[in-house]
Amino acid sequence: MGQAQSQFSEEELQDYEDLTYFSKREVLKVHQKFKALAPEKVGHNKNAKLSMSKILQYPELKVNPFGERICQVFSASRDGDLTFEDFLDMMSVFSSYCPKPVKAEHAFRIFDFDGDDMLGLSDLRQVIDRITGPQHLSEQELQHFIQNILEEADLDDDGALSFAEFEHIIDRAPDFARAFSMHL
């Protein structure tokens, strides 16, 4: 970890510790993970920006059906390319230390494909399609599933889920915080 240590001043490490759910040691561990994705680029430049395709090589993103959306949500430029600070923010939110409400806010943003601050029919359809993967549901099964979600969670009957309605679902999901995590 010596080289990672030399890339950051004590003040920078303190800032990262203050702004994340990580200790300084864990920040350095996250940096090692980031650097391992492109050592030739990150080894010389702590401000390097890695392409989404590089970031998606991270093992837990590689198998996640929402990997691209996760990159887009955490990318400061929203193109999916991530700086170390973007990657650190992502890893912090996906850490076991992150509070459930913060995780819920980011999950909502990941599922809100059209960015309208609501989970509408097209958002729900895309979420279900990504979760079911290659064994897609029939149109009838998909419609039935979406209808069940809305009947259960759309408390104001507007045909979409607001963040408050989504948060209500998350509150009743005991595995959410564990499922919405990545290990260092």
Side-chain angles (χ1 to χ4, degrees):
M1 278 204 229
Q3 185 166 356
Q5 178 71 43
S6 67
Q7 283 193 314
F8 300 107
S9 69
E10 187 60 34
E11 185 178 316
E12 287 171 315
L13 285 174
Q14 185 62 54
D15 287 346
Y16 289 146
E17 183 177 47
D18 293 344
L19 296 170
T20 67
Y21 299 102
F22 291 132
S23 67
K24 291 174 189 172
R25 185 169 178 239
E26 290 166 323
V27 168
L28 292 173
K29 191 171 182 180
V30 171
H31 186 260
Q32 287 299 98
K33 302 270 186 191
F34 184 73
K35 184 177 169 182
L37 294 169
E40 71 290 346
K41 195 169 186 180
V42 179
H44 311 324
N45 180 5
K46 69 180 179 185
N47 298 314
K49 187 177 202 181
L50 300 185
S51 68
M52 182 189 310
S53 62
K54 285 277 191 198
I55 299 296
L56 290 173
Q57 295 307 303
Y58 191 73
E60 284 155 309
L61 289 175
K62 187 184 273 191
V63 297
N64 189 316
F66 297 96
E68 288 182 7
R69 280 295 299 155
I70 292 168
C71 288
Q72 290 166 341
V73 166
F74 284 94
S75 171
S77 57
R78 300 292 182 244
D79 59 4
D81 296 352
L82 271 66
T83 63
F84 169 66
E85 290 182 355
D86 297 335
F87 187 77
L88 180 63
D89 186 34
M90 177 189 75
M91 294 300 289
S92 180
V93 169
F94 279 94
S95 77
S96 60
Y97 313 120
C98 184
K100 193 174 181 180
V102 175
K103 288 180 178 286
E105 178 187 334
H106 284 83
F108 186 84
R109 289 178 49 213
I110 290 165
F111 297 158
D112 183 15
F113 287 86
D114 59 15
D116 67 352
D117 294 326
M118 296 291 284
L119 299 183
L121 296 176
S122 77
D123 296 316
L124 294 173
R125 177 181 291 273
Q126 287 187 66
V127 168
I128 294 166
D129 279 346
R130 287 180 187 233
I131 290 172
T132 59
Q135 59 273 20
H136 292 287
L137 302 175
S138 70
E139 186 59 32
Q140 186 178 9
E141 292 169 320
L142 185 61
Q143 292 289 342
H144 182 71
F145 197 47
I146 290 172
Q147 189 60 39
N148 284 343
I149 291 170
L150 292 175
E151 283 176 15
E152 181 71 24
D154 184 14
L155 303 176
D156 61 6
D157 290 325
D158 65 353
L161 301 181
S162 66
F163 176 68
E165 291 166 327
F166 178 77
E167 205 170 25
H168 183 68
I169 295 169
I170 296 304
D171 285 342
R172 298 183 316 188
D175 290 352
F176 170 73
R178 185 186 51 74
F180 198 80
S181 64
M182 288 187 227
H183 301 284
L184 272 183

